[in-house]
Structure formats: C-alpha cells, structure tokens
Amino acid sequence: KRHMTALGRQLAKIPVDPRIGRMLIEANEQRSLSEALIITSALSIQDPRERPAEKTQAADQAHAKYKDPDSDFVAFVNLWNSFEEQRQSLSSSQLKKYCQKNFLSYMRMREWREVHRQLHLISRELEYTENRDPAGYEPIHRALLSGLLNNIGEKYEKREYVGARNRRFNVFPGSSCYRKAPKWIVSAELVETTLVYARTNARIEPQWVESISSHIFKRSYFEPHWEQKRAQVVAFERVSLYGLEIVPKRKVNYSKIDPVVSRELFIRHGLVQGELRSNAPFLKRNQQLIEEVDELETRLRKKDILIDDELLFEFYDERIPQDIVSGRYFEAWWKKLDKAQLETLTLTKAFLMTRDASEVNDANYPDTIAINDMRFKLDYSFSPGQESDGVSIVVPGGAVRQLPIHRLDWLVPGLLREKCIQLVKSLPRNLRKQFVPVPDYVDAALKEMQPSNEPLTKVLGQQLTRKTGVKIPDECWNVDGVDDHLKFNVQVVNEKGKVEKESRDLLHLMDAYQDVAFDLSKSSQDSQNTFKQQITQWDFGELELDKEVDQGGITLKLMPALEDAKTHVKMILCNDRLTANNKTVRAVARLTMFALPDLIKYTTDKLPQIKKTGLLFAPYVKASDLMDDLLMGSIMQLLTERSIPRSSVQFNAWLDECRSLLYDHTSELSLLLNDIAIQHHELMKQLKGKINLALANSMSDLKFQLDNLVYPGFISETPKEWLNHYPRYLKAANDRFEKMPREMGRERTFLAAINGCWEQYKTLKLQHEQQGIYDPELETYRWMLEELRVSWFSQKLGTAMTISEKRLSKQWSLVKR
C-alpha cells in the first residue's frame, strides 16, 4: 500500500501547479514566503514585461532597473515592489501611462496581482506566515529550488550547461546570468528553439539542493579507507540527482554504511599496522615488540623474521568483538576489560618471530661507533633507493672534519663481509678468477683483519696477496661499484639533533662544513667575556691544550687555537693538534708584532737591501705586504724553534727573548730575500718575449714553478729549511732555461714524471684545505718535488737529498697514511 506523506497532504490543499505549491511550502519554512508569493504568481502568468521588435533597446533600458546581477527571479520582486509604489500613488489612467512608458503590460500586471491575491489567501488558510523583513538571497532560492529540481544545471563549457538526465542547454541571452555564467544555476523553464535555452535563471549553490527532498537523491560510496586522525574508517560519498552529480566526492563515516568492512580495515590499519593512537597497555607492548623484530630485519636487510600481517590480523580478529569498528568504540571496550582479558591481547616475541636471529647482536650491528675518542650514534634503515638506506652515522657539523675517511670504509662487522665480497667481485676478470670461490677467500682474509684508519681495499688486498701471492694494484679496486647500503651515510645534525645534510661522499660534506671552526664565543659552555674574538694582546688567560664541546648530544674533543686575522687574533677550535699548532704559531707571531711596535719600526727602518728587494718584487707583491710577510716569517721561524707560548707568562718570556733576536734574524732573512729577488727578477726578464712553440710546455712549467715559489705570503708560509734553498732552486731554474733548447728529450721525460706527482699533491692539498688540516708530510713531499727539479737539471749544484722515484713514492706513502 502507498501512503500519502505529510508533504503530500499539504500539496493536496493547494489548488495550483504542484511545483508552485512545493515552493510555497518550502518558502514558509525558509521564512521567504512574501518573496515566493510574488515570484510564483509571476511564473503562473505570461511575462508582464513587453519588448516590441521596433523598440527593443528602449525596452531593455526600461527593464534594466529591475534586474538583479545574480537572479532573474529577484527581478520579479524588484518589478513588483516598484509597481506597487506607483499603484498606490497614481490614478488608474496615470498607472496605464506608467506601464506604457516602462514597457509593461497593464492587463498582465492586473492578472499578476490577482494570482498573487489568490495564492495569498491560500497561504492564510494554511496558516502560513509571510515574512515582514525582506528575505535574503539564499532562503528565496532554496524555496524556488524545491519546485524546480528538474531544471538545475552545472556549467559544462562557456555558457553551455548540463542538467538532469544529461540534458544540455544554454542560458538565454536576455538573462542576467548570461554574461557571468555561474557554476550552478536553476531555471524556471527550458525552451527549445534553434537551441535549448534556459529562461528565468538564478545562481545557486549545490549544497542548497541536497537539503531539499533528499529521498530522490542517489548516493554511492567508494574508496573506503582508514583515517588515522579520525581513528575511523571513512569513504567518499557521491550524491546525484537525475544523473547530475550534486556532490562528486565527500568524506563520510563508513562504519554506519558497512560495519563489516569497517571492522576489517580498523583491525588491519589501526591495530596490525599500529596506526591507532591509543593508551591501551597491550597495544604499546605489542608495537614495541614488533619494532624490535622489525629492527632485526632492518639490520639483516632480510624480511623473513617477522610474521606476516595476516597472522596478526587473525590474532586480533579472534579476540575483538564484532561491533568494534573504530577507535572510539575500541577505547570504550578495552577500558572495561580485567587484567586477565588484557593479557590475552598481549603478543609474545616467540609468536612474532618465524626464526632465530642470534646473528644480530651488538658486536655485529652496534648502536654506536667509537672514532677518535668520540662515540657516534648509528641508525639502520632498510629502504632501497632512499638516501638513508643502509647504516647512517650521526655526526655534529663541527665533527665532520674529524672523521677519518678510511675508517668509515670498514662499515660495521655485520655488513663488512658482504662489502668485501662485492669489492673482490668488482676486480678485473684476470685478477678476480684468482679468488674463486670469493666468499671463502674473503672469510679467510677477514679473520686477519681489524678495523683501522687504513683503506679497507689496501688491507683486504694485502691479506689476499698473502693467501695467493697475487698482487692487486690500488687502481683495480672499483669502490664506486659497491652498493650504496654498503657505504656509510653521514648524517650531519645541528645543535638540536636535526639532520641538516646527509651524503655518502664524506669529502663533499667536509667541503660544505669547512668553515665550521667552533667559534668559542658561540659555545654554550663558555661566555664571551672569557673567549674574546678581537684579541690584540695576551689578556685571555691560558690557551688550553684540549677542550670538550657538546654538540648534537655528542661530546667532541677539540684543540683550542689562535687564528691570525691580520688586524687582530681570534680563538677557534681545531680538529687536530698539527693544525692547531700551525695556526697558533702564526697568531702568536701577529700578537708579537702588536706587543713590540717600537722594535718592529726599528727593524723595518734598518733592514739591509729591503728597498731594493721591494722594487724587484713590486710586480708581484706590494711593498707593505712584503714587509709584513718578512716580519711574520722571521718571527715564525724563531717560534718554530721553541715551545709555543700558552699563557701570558710564557708569552712575556718569549717577548723578552724576541727583543734580543728579532733584528739580527730579520736582517739575515732580508739578505736572503734580496738574493731571491735578484735571481727571480733576472729569470722573469728572460721569460718575457717570443716563445719557441717547441719549448711551450717546458716554458709553461718553468713559469708555473716560479709562480709557486714567489707569491704574496710565501716567506711566512715556507718553512725555514726550504726557504734557505730558494737561491739554489732559482739557479737550477736558470740552468734549465739555458739548456732547454738542446735537451728537449730530457724535458719531455721530466714533464711526464713531474705532472702526475704535482697533480696528486694538488688534489690532496685541496682536500686538506677543505678539512682544515695541516700535514707537514704533505709539505715535505711538495719540497721534494723542487729537489727533483734540481737533481734533474742541475746536478752540479748538489742536492739536499738524493731524490729518486722510490724516495718520492715512500714519502707519498707517508702522506697517504
């Protein structure tokens, strides 16, 4: 049986078109009945506005004052209000003239008033209440929508709309919505002429439609999923009316729609995958155990220890009631359980593990690593293709340059075997076939190997050579071919422990953090009063040998040092003792100049040959810079023969000693400098002019040599033992220049030898500068190259040492170590 609804009974009492009746009912609820009576009565008659063909422009101008920018329906209300004002103040004949002037049909206006009166009386009989205050835009059009649901349209393209049952139509050009073309409209009627046109339109919002006659809307649901923030399963709802999508995608609670699916998704995501935020003690314990087992898999890089998610789902599915579909229901349920019931919901490690994993221990996969008396945290990740995949060492920015490059080659014991196997397999075939089966040879080598600061490939190669007698040249190892997870990923953290940079290229990070010098004034453990940064005299107490600084939760052992800034001296912290001492010697020399201004002036004025020397060096070094370099070099030479002052008492004792030595020592150095200047000047004169193309490479190398001997600051940067040999180096260069045309074969052989040596020196020198490291062995190698030039071209001069490829190779080994 069919029953008439309350709405149907109301419609039966209104003797008009059901659509008009539905609008009036809704208008009463929306408190817009006064406007609805005007509009519905206008829709019940022929449009009272006239538009004669010969006066269309005049008619449009007359009707324009009634228009509303968003709604043709509101235009009826504006017309009604305007006409009523005139009707109450004009006589019948005057009202007719008014209608004629404004292109209105007097008879249709009367008919409009009559229909309005009838609808008004019907409303009174039904005890509907007309609103006294003007209704807003939304209440009026909500009421109209209730009777015009079939005439809703959504903009498709330009001014074309798609409506119910996929019907396409266009906005009539005379409508106020024609130019604006709103996203959604409602129309009083659709008329088909050359096209289907929508007449009498208004802008609407789709959400207004849904609240009206919801029983005729069709709802569908898709993509049910767990949402962690809501702690419930949600899906997307699509609402349509006669095939027209009113709501294309809206999030709704899915548990009321399909509780079975919602419960399954809740268990899988909320409990199995641990996405539910809950204070349930058994859940916290279960998640902790799962993370522990997962960490074992991460370190082993094998997903074969933790049971699969299906078994975990079955565990919870058997124990949780069928009506628990969301976090809210779950919280209310578990809080009522007793201790024994809670115990049945707690997992065990034995249940979670499919096999034993005793190989994962602190010895093979440590949580920290000790380097240079510092302990760094290690993080493990099993995420192939990601930056953090493998083992990450967490390092504060200030400690990056303290990491020994080759120590990181050794990784952690648990992954070292796999890395060594890949390294051996990366060897050229003629070498690789000597170590088959590879794992057996690697296992035998590893028994004799211990992590150190030596390159892993070197130690591994030595052990393999001992086993087989096969030598493996360094260049045969393909270190870059090793998988990324077998190289340490260095994560640089700031003071708050947040990762700023990460990379497997340690040299790149050292370059990026080369300016991180631990300015003591910024140290959280020290005050700016104690550590001055504009030092011009020794008034800062004692310069400590070592200092511990906490950064990113790691205690770093650093070396305080003084650094020369020319106009003053500042305090810094260095990563190694040699660098700290080297910087401090130069800074103490600067403080000495500040402390002995009278002696410095006297020495400057009395130096022998200094003016002549300045003129000879004028094209390459400013006179003032040359004098500063000479004085600094002289003081530094005196200092290097003594202990570095580390307190004001020691510094004052040094000043007393310096007063008696400085002038004589600087005068001696000034004479040496004059000799250097004369020879250098003569050589540079000879190198000017036209060059024989056959000698171009040799001449270029000779100029390169001179540029690396004489440059701004060379006096203070060159150790005394090597600076004293400058005249001999320049004499050998002159001999070479004279013999060059007749010894081209000797030149080619020398260039082939020296270029490779110089390139490796320059590369390592750059790396040391990036790391802020001073290496005296590397500087010895550099001067041995000068000795090589002397012994190659001017053996009659005699050499400070006998240079050979074997001697150079031995020195280079010292440098690399």
Side-chain angles (χ1 to χ4, degrees), residues 29 36 75 110 139 149 220 228 283 346 426 470 513 519 524 530 544 560 571 624 630 718 798 816:
E29 294 181 3
R110 286 185 61 184
L149 289 174
S220 59
Q228 186 175 10
L283 269 190
T346 304
S426 72
V470 178
Y513 285 85
D519 189 337
S524 59
T530 306
E544 299 173 287
M571 297 186 74
S624 58
L630 176 60
T718 306
K816 292 293 284 182

Side-chain angles (χ1 to χ4, degrees), residues 528-801:
Q528 294 189 21
N529 293 331
T530 306
F531 298 99
K532 297 180 179 180
Q533 296 305 297
Q534 298 285 332
I535 301 171
T536 55
Q537 57 183 345
W538 201 295
D539 58 356
F540 48 85
E542 185 176 350
L543 184 65
E544 299 173 287
L545 278 171
D546 302 302
K547 184 171 185 63
E548 291 187 349
V549 175
D550 183 76
Q551 190 182 54
I554 298 174
T555 301
L556 307 177
K557 188 176 181 180
L558 302 166
M559 291 74 186
L562 298 176
E563 186 174 55
D564 176 29
K566 289 194 175 181
T567 59
H568 62 277
V569 169
K570 63 180 181 179
M571 297 186 74
I572 61 169
L573 289 172
C574 294
N575 296 307
D576 65 276
R577 176 70 59 213
L578 289 174
T579 304
N581 289 347
N582 186 52
K583 288 181 176 292
T584 301
V585 166
R586 177 173 285 274
V588 172
R590 182 66 66 186
L591 287 177
T592 302
M593 290 180 65
F594 293 156
L596 303 173
D598 294 338
L599 178 59
I600 296 299
K601 186 177 186 309
Y602 175 81
T603 303
T604 302
D605 294 340
K606 300 293 183 179
L607 284 177
Q609 304 293 336
I610 191 62
K611 291 185 179 179
K612 180 181 177 182
T613 303
L615 289 173
L616 293 173
F617 276 136
Y620 317 106
V621 187
K622 289 181 180 179
S624 58
D625 292 340
L626 182 68
M627 181 58 70
D628 181 76
D629 190 29
L630 176 60
L631 290 165
M632 284 289 289
S634 178
I635 299 172
M636 288 173 67
Q637 287 183 11
L638 292 171
L639 275 168
T640 51
E641 297 171 356
R642 294 159 177 79
S643 299
I644 302 173
R646 308 198 73 87
S647 66
S648 58
V649 173
Q650 293 175 3
F651 180 67
N652 290 331
W654 151 249
L655 291 180
D656 292 339
E657 194 175 359
C658 184
R659 287 187 181 95
S660 62
L661 299 174
L662 183 61
Y663 174 73
D664 291 340
H665 187 271
T666 308
S667 296
E668 182 182 340
L669 188 58
S670 178
L671 292 173
L672 173 63
L673 187 60
N674 182 250
D675 189 12
I676 295 170
I678 293 170
Q679 291 195 58
H680 181 267
H681 180 71
E682 290 300 321
L683 256 176
M684 294 304 291
K685 275 171 57 178
Q686 295 180 70
L687 291 174
K688 292 180 180 178
K690 293 183 179 179
I691 299 175
N692 185 344
L693 290 178
L695 304 175
N697 289 337
S698 296
M699 293 287 282
S700 176
D701 180 66
L702 189 55
K703 287 182 179 178
F704 177 78
Q705 177 194 4
L706 295 176
D707 290 342
N708 280 277
L709 287 173
V710 175
Y711 55 88
F714 79 95
I715 306 170
S716 59
E717 291 181 12
T718 306
K720 180 181 180 180
E721 59 178 308
W722 301 111
L723 189 64
N724 289 336
H725 290 293
Y726 261 53
R728 192 162 56 84
Y729 296 156
L730 294 171
K731 181 66 173 67
N734 187 66
D735 290 353
R736 177 188 181 188
F737 177 74
E738 292 175 355
K739 297 175 183 178
M740 199 174 287
R742 58 182 183 271
E743 293 189 353
M744 292 305 299
R746 192 177 182 84
E747 283 287 341
R748 282 192 294 271
T749 307
F750 171 75
L751 291 176
I754 195 73
N755 286 342
C757 295
W758 189 268
E759 279 301 316
Q760 65 184 12
Y761 162 75
K762 188 169 66 174
T763 301
L764 193 55
K765 176 74 171 176
L766 179 61
Q767 291 179 9
H768 284 187
E769 288 175 353
Q770 291 172 340
Q771 295 178 253
I773 293 173
Y774 172 73
D775 183 1
E777 296 292 351
L778 182 62
E779 295 311 307
T780 299
Y781 182 79
R782 180 259 181 277
W783 296 109
M784 286 178 70
L785 293 179
E786 291 301 325
E787 290 294 338
L788 180 63
R789 293 178 189 274
V790 174
S791 61
W792 200 286
F793 294 108
S794 297
Q795 301 221 8
K796 64 180 182 179
L797 290 174
T799 58
M801 58 182 72

